[in-house]
Amino acid sequence: MDYLKASKVYLTFRCFFFALNINLLLRSCGFSYFCQMANNEDQFKKVVSHAKEYGYIFASSEIYDGLSAVYDYAQNGVELKKNIREYWWRSMVYMNQNIVGIDSAILMHPTTWKASGHVDAFSDPLIDNKDSKKRYRADVLIEDFAEKLNQKAQKEINKAKKRFGESFDEAEYVSTNARVIGYKTRQKEILERMARSLEAENLADVKALIDELGIADPDTGSKNWTDVRQFNLMFGTKLGASAESAMDLYLRPETAQGIFVNFLNVQKSGRMKIPFGIAQTGKAFRNEIVARQFIFRMREFEQMEMQFFVRPGEEMKWYEYWKETRLKWHHSLGLGEENYRFHDHEKLAHYANAATDIEFDFPFGFKELEGIHSRTDFDLKAHEEFSGKKLQFFDHEQNKSYTPYVVETSIGLDRMFLAVLSKSLQEETLEDGSTRTVLRLPSILAPVKAAVLPLIKRDGLPEIAGQIIEDLKWEYNVAYDEKDAVGRRYRRQDANGTPFCITVDHQTKEDQTVTIRYRDSMEQERIAISEISEKLRDSISYQKWLK
């Protein structure tokens, strides 16, 4: 019996110390990091669910179980997307006298893509997991691993900020703290090695790096990988009346080439002088290896691009200018400056001499939102060579002809949509302990600018509300809502992202005033019906938002 008791005591202590060691291990490995990842995943699921419930995004062909990585923009989504596009277009084209827009065709002569390098070089490194049978981009697996090191470094920095308060010198801490230096150095080494290997097309070393880092399948944890191989991303199609005579074409993988082949047409017809830009928005198509994370990476997507033509030798000046200008545009929407950062490319595309991404803090981490590239004169010279047509500019000030250099800004409209939607969706706890879901969309982008609500469905109130709708609809997208109690309607419009609710009550019949309620603050004020339009106009003025 004494022996059994002793054994039980021993086992109890073993279990206790085992649990203690597990706890310490989790803490040392960044347990809070995993908790944060779980929270981010939950938030992302809420964004996806909210997008469907409130008519922003539906899975395409959903009645047939959908199509992988293809989505439809619903009644509110199409309005938000249009407003984002318009916000970009006004800032890029209307606010710059030397930038004009075009809308080029999706189908282009196939030699276009030979000249641009897409036929030979537009591919991504692909890797399969033998156990899960899932396919991944090898470079993204490595980048995600490196980003975890950066997040660990940032965690150390954040802890130090709390510890030292206002006296904290972040630059000095980053340059002297051993842990931060270690994380940052390791991250840099990994990304530089990957960039060298991809540049040299040494796919065996990319695979070796994945093995050395112990990178596992994100879903299953398996490390049983195939070799890395290249995968061309272009969709092929055919043009012609019969299969025998049909010409092989591609769905465009980017909108930029439509700008380059029209460079001379635009320059001559618009009498444009260097420097000048050509902007375009439109669909592009890529057969992505891994199309996931909702609308972040799709096979059919929309780009907003501007190619800025400059004198050779001045491209870096304009590259820095557009970096600053584009970041300022993003900040103007008020989504939080801390959610943006620049990420300079380690591996440059075949056409570039400088490249950076504006990354955004999505629910799944910092990812590319917009690219800014110095494309040199590669594109125009390549199209000159393959077409036999001269694509040069005669500079009267220099009295000579030259092939302009190009600085590009390229933003994914769908990614911008996701950035706005994910940061705007919030859950609040109110003073009375209740919660509300609110979509704090920038009012300039909101699909519906105001909802008009009659307090009750009788006594002539719906008729007054209907007349307000009639007056406002010429300038704004407004909605009429009479179902449920007014409090429920407020909550519904909050979740829908509507900045203003205008309530018509019995006092309206007496003095022609209404109650206007503000989505973000939930504050209410009484204003005259004649003042409504001016109130909305002030809130969604492009001058106010873009200045």
Side-chain angles (χ1 to χ4, degrees):
M1 290 294 294
D2 292 339
Y3 173 77
L4 288 174
K5 285 181 180 179
S7 297
K8 286 181 180 179
V9 170
Y10 173 73
L11 287 173
T12 300
F13 273 101
R14 284 287 302 269
C15 291
F16 171 76
F17 283 111
F18 177 77
L20 181 63
N21 287 333
I22 288 293
N23 184 47
L24 292 172
L25 178 63
L26 286 171
R27 288 179 180 274
S28 66
C29 291
F31 183 57
S32 61
Y33 165 75
F34 293 106
C35 290
Q36 183 63 42
M37 290 294 288
N39 290 337
N40 289 347
E41 187 174 337
D42 288 343
Q43 173 64 13
F44 191 40
K45 288 178 180 177
K46 289 176 183 177
V47 169
V48 176
S49 175
H50 195 89
K52 180 178 181 181
E53 182 179 356
Y54 285 88
Y56 279 85
I57 297 174
F58 301 147
S60 182
S61 317
E62 189 174 25
I63 62 171
Y64 297 105
D65 297 326
L67 188 62
S68 176
V70 182
Y71 293 91
D72 297 334
Y73 285 85
Q75 66 273 20
N76 285 317
V78 73
E79 290 291 331
L80 175 57
K81 190 178 185 184
K82 174 182 70 69
N83 292 342
I84 294 172
R85 187 190 298 112
E86 180 69 12
Y87 193 71
W88 180 88
W89 190 266
R90 281 179 175 267
S91 68
M92 188 63 77
V93 179
Y94 293 0
M95 304 303 294
N96 294 283
Q97 287 296 304
N98 60 343
I99 298 178
V100 296
I102 65 167
D103 182 11
S104 65
I106 288 173
L107 298 177
M108 302 180 70
H109 193 285
T111 309
T112 302
W113 307 112
K114 185 69 176 174
S116 67
H118 284 81
V119 172
D120 299 321
F122 193 61
S123 56
D124 282 335
L126 169 138
I127 192 168
D128 291 306
N129 188 276
K130 296 177 183 177
D131 296 328
S132 69
K133 311 302 181 187
K134 292 193 173 181
R135 181 165 287 180
Y136 297 92
R137 275 180 56 175
D139 57 332
V140 172
L141 288 174
I142 295 169
E143 287 170 355
D144 287 348
F145 182 92
E147 176 58 23
K148 289 176 184 176
L149 294 173
N150 182 61
Q151 290 173 354
K152 288 180 179 179
Q154 192 60 49
K155 181 186 171 186
E156 295 292 331
I157 295 168
N158 292 339
K159 284 196 298 185
K161 277 182 182 177
K162 290 181 180 178
R163 191 185 315 132
F164 297 110
E166 293 182 1
S167 62
F168 180 65
D169 186 334
E170 184 172 337
E172 182 181 352
Y173 185 81
V174 168
S175 63
T176 57
N177 182 270
R179 281 192 177 184
V180 174
I181 292 172
Y183 288 137
K184 293 281 189 183
T185 302
R186 184 66 176 135
Q187 179 197 25
K188 190 170 186 291
E189 289 172 350
I190 290 169
L191 293 176
E192 286 180 348
R193 177 176 167 184
M194 180 187 73
R196 289 195 302 270
S197 299
L198 291 174
E199 186 71 33
E201 298 186 6
N202 186 357
L203 301 182
D205 190 58
V206 176
K207 170 64 162 48
L209 181 57
I210 289 173
D211 291 337
E212 290 170 22
L213 297 175
I215 294 175
D217 184 314
D219 292 335
T220 66
S222 169
K223 299 179 182 178
N224 190 12
W225 299 106
T226 65
D227 290 335
V228 179
R229 58 199 185 279
Q230 293 287 13
F231 178 80
N232 193 283
L233 302 178
M234 285 199 293
F235 280 110
T237 187
K238 290 183 179 292
L239 176 69
S242 66
E244 293 77 16
S245 62
M247 175 188 289
D248 289 325
L249 297 181
Y250 297 100
L251 299 181
R252 67 181 180 192
E254 66 177 23
T255 59
Q257 299 306 319
I259 293 175
F260 295 131
V261 299
N262 278 298
F263 161 74
L264 211 55
N265 289 333
V266 173
Q267 188 272 315
K268 287 184 175 179
S269 62
R271 302 191 304 279
M272 308 297 290
K273 293 183 179 179
I274 296 287
F276 74 91
I278 303 175
Q280 177 171 213
T281 70
K283 292 277 185 130
F285 306 83
R286 294 180 186 177
N287 191 15
E288 293 281 0
I289 295 169
V290 183
R292 58 181 60 168
Q293 294 171 324
F294 197 31
I295 59 170
F296 178 79
R297 194 181 300 280
M298 299 191 294
R299 294 186 169 95
E300 176 187 342
F301 56 97
E302 192 163 348
Q303 290 181 306
M304 302 187 294
E305 294 194 331
M306 191 277 297
Q307 308 297 329
F308 199 68
F309 300 92
V310 303
R311 286 174 175 169
E314 295 185 358
E315 70 274 11
M316 293 312 297
K317 175 184 77 173
W318 288 107
Y319 173 73
E320 294 298 330
Y321 169 83
W322 283 112
K323 278 178 62 176
E324 179 183 344
T325 300
R326 292 306 302 146
L327 187 61
K328 183 179 177 183
W329 180 85
H330 286 284
H331 288 171
S332 72
L333 287 169
L335 300 180
E337 294 186 11
E338 71 279 3
N339 293 314
Y340 300 89
R341 72 182 187 191
F342 282 113
H343 172 71
D344 293 333
H345 288 207
E346 298 287 346
K347 175 182 180 291
L348 294 176
H350 58 278
Y351 52 75
N353 64 357
T356 193
D357 294 333
I358 296 177
E359 294 187 334
F360 185 80
D361 190 12
F362 291 94
F364 39 82
F366 275 96
K367 295 287 184 180
E368 178 189 353
L369 178 59
E370 176 165 4
I372 301 161
H373 315 113
S374 174
R375 297 182 69 116
T376 68
D377 57 359
F378 172 85
D379 298 281
L380 292 180
K381 279 192 170 178
H383 288 303
E384 265 193 346
E385 178 187 345
F386 279 80
S387 69
K389 308 292 194 309
K390 201 172 185 181
L391 297 175
Q392 295 189 346
F393 173 77
F394 182 78
D395 193 325
H396 289 278
E397 292 182 14
Q398 296 188 347
N399 197 33
K400 67 177 183 180
S401 294
Y402 54 76
T403 304
Y405 273 45
V406 177
V407 176
E408 169 187 70
T409 77
S410 176
I411 177 172
L413 176 51
D414 309 277
R415 291 188 180 188
M416 188 66 203
F417 185 107
L418 182 57
V420 171
L421 191 69
S422 61
K423 278 301 173 214
S424 298
L425 183 61
Q426 299 171 14
E427 287 190 7
E428 290 183 341
T429 301
L430 306 179
E431 291 180 0
D432 62 1
S434 63
T435 61
R436 73 159 179 158
T437 298
V438 56
L439 192 61
R440 297 180 184 274
L441 297 171
S443 59
I444 190 77
L445 303 182
V448 177
K449 303 307 182 190
V452 183
L453 323 173
L455 187 63
I456 57 176
K457 293 188 280 185
R458 61 178 187 274
D459 299 342
L461 302 187
E463 287 75 15
I464 298 173
Q467 186 56 54
I468 292 173
I469 291 279
E470 286 296 314
D471 293 340
L472 294 177
K473 72 181 184 182
W474 298 97
E475 293 185 71
Y476 315 102
N477 186 18
V478 290
Y480 177 84
D481 191 355
E482 66 176 16
K483 188 177 184 234
D484 297 323
V486 71
R488 280 192 167 189
R489 283 180 272 171
Y490 284 157
R491 290 290 185 269
R492 186 159 60 235
Q493 295 300 331
D494 289 344
N496 205 43
T498 307
F500 304 100
C501 284
I502 299 161
T503 303
V504 177
D505 55 23
H506 291 91
Q507 186 180 337
T508 307
K509 298 173 71 174
E510 298 174 8
D511 60 12
Q512 294 295 295
T513 65
V514 294
T515 297
I516 185 165
R517 176 186 179 272
Y518 302 93
R519 177 198 64 202
D520 294 344
S521 66
M522 297 192 296
E523 292 179 354
Q524 302 181 19
E525 68 171 313
R526 202 77 189 176
I527 65 171
I529 291 176
S530 59
E531 296 175 358
I532 296 174
S533 185
E534 185 60 35
K535 180 74 73 171
L536 298 185
R537 189 177 298 114
D538 181 62
S539 170
I540 61 173
S541 162
Y542 281 101
Q543 185 175 13
K544 173 185 172 182
W545 283 86
L546 286 171
K547 254 194 170 181

